[in-house]
Amino acid sequence: MIKNYFYLIVGILSILFSFTHAMNGQITVLSLINLSKLDIETQTTIFYIWHILSAENFIFGVAFIIMGFHKDLSRVKFAALMIAFIMISRLLVIFGSILLKNMNNLTNSLTDFVAIIIFVGLIILGTRKKSSISISTSEKNSQ
């Protein structure tokens, strides 16, 4: 039985993000890099870093789906908050990189900003949900 719909939604979104990130890379960025005059070591580094993020998003998705079914939500709250912190860090790195390297690209990254903010917002809503185990335990103690 689903214990936290927020975590379940975040898990599904994260897995979706992993596939779209990998496909976007293959179709646009990585294909351009393969045609460029960059040396093979640089191309390889960009390739594996791109796919590390895809794999990381997939793992986050699986973790959130599992957390969505976990009976004691207080036990998974810390992991959820750490992933939210990682996502906020990503947002800050993206924003800072755009400000330093290409200020004109700020509006093109608006979709990424909105997606990460919604993603983190759903995680925070999920961490605020009370665990049914902790409620039933405290009810037993009061009787």
Side-chain angles (χ1 to χ4, degrees):
M1 186 169 144
I2 299 170
K3 299 295 180 183
N4 191 320
Y5 285 98
F6 294 111
Y7 288 167
L8 185 63
I9 292 168
V10 167
I12 292 168
L13 283 175
S14 189
I15 289 173
L16 177 67
F17 292 162
S18 74
F19 286 111
T20 58
H21 187 267
M23 288 187 325
N24 182 38
Q26 288 301 125
I27 294 169
T28 59
V29 176
L30 297 175
S31 62
L32 290 174
I33 288 172
N34 289 336
L35 299 174
S36 72
K37 294 181 181 180
L38 291 173
D39 64 284
I40 191 66
E41 291 174 12
T42 304
Q43 289 179 18
T44 304
T45 302
I46 293 169
F47 178 86
Y48 74 71
I49 289 172
W50 193 277
H51 289 294
I52 284 171
L53 290 173
S54 298
E56 187 179 273
N57 284 339
F58 186 81
I59 292 167
F60 288 166
V62 171
F64 272 110
I65 289 173
I66 291 169
M67 289 190 295
F69 290 95
H70 202 279
K71 291 179 182 176
D72 187 0
L73 295 177
S74 63
R75 290 187 176 197
V76 297
K77 183 177 181 178
F78 180 74
L81 289 173
M82 288 305 297
I83 294 171
F85 181 73
I86 290 168
M87 297 307 293
I88 291 169
S89 299
R90 278 189 192 179
L91 180 68
L92 293 174
V93 168
I94 292 168
F95 186 68
S97 298
I98 290 171
L99 287 178
L100 288 173
K101 296 289 187 181
N102 186 5
M103 186 72 128
N104 298 330
N105 198 26
L106 195 57
T107 56
N108 294 343
S109 299
L110 188 61
T111 306
D112 295 335
F113 296 148
V114 171
I116 292 173
I117 289 168
I118 290 171
F119 191 82
V120 170
L122 288 170
I123 293 171
I124 291 170
L125 287 172
T127 61
R128 300 191 68 173
K129 186 173 181 335
K130 299 292 182 200
S131 177
S132 58
I133 288 181
S134 64
I135 292 171
S136 63
T137 304
S138 61
E139 286 176 0
K140 285 181 184 178
N141 291 338
S142 65
Q143 292 177 0

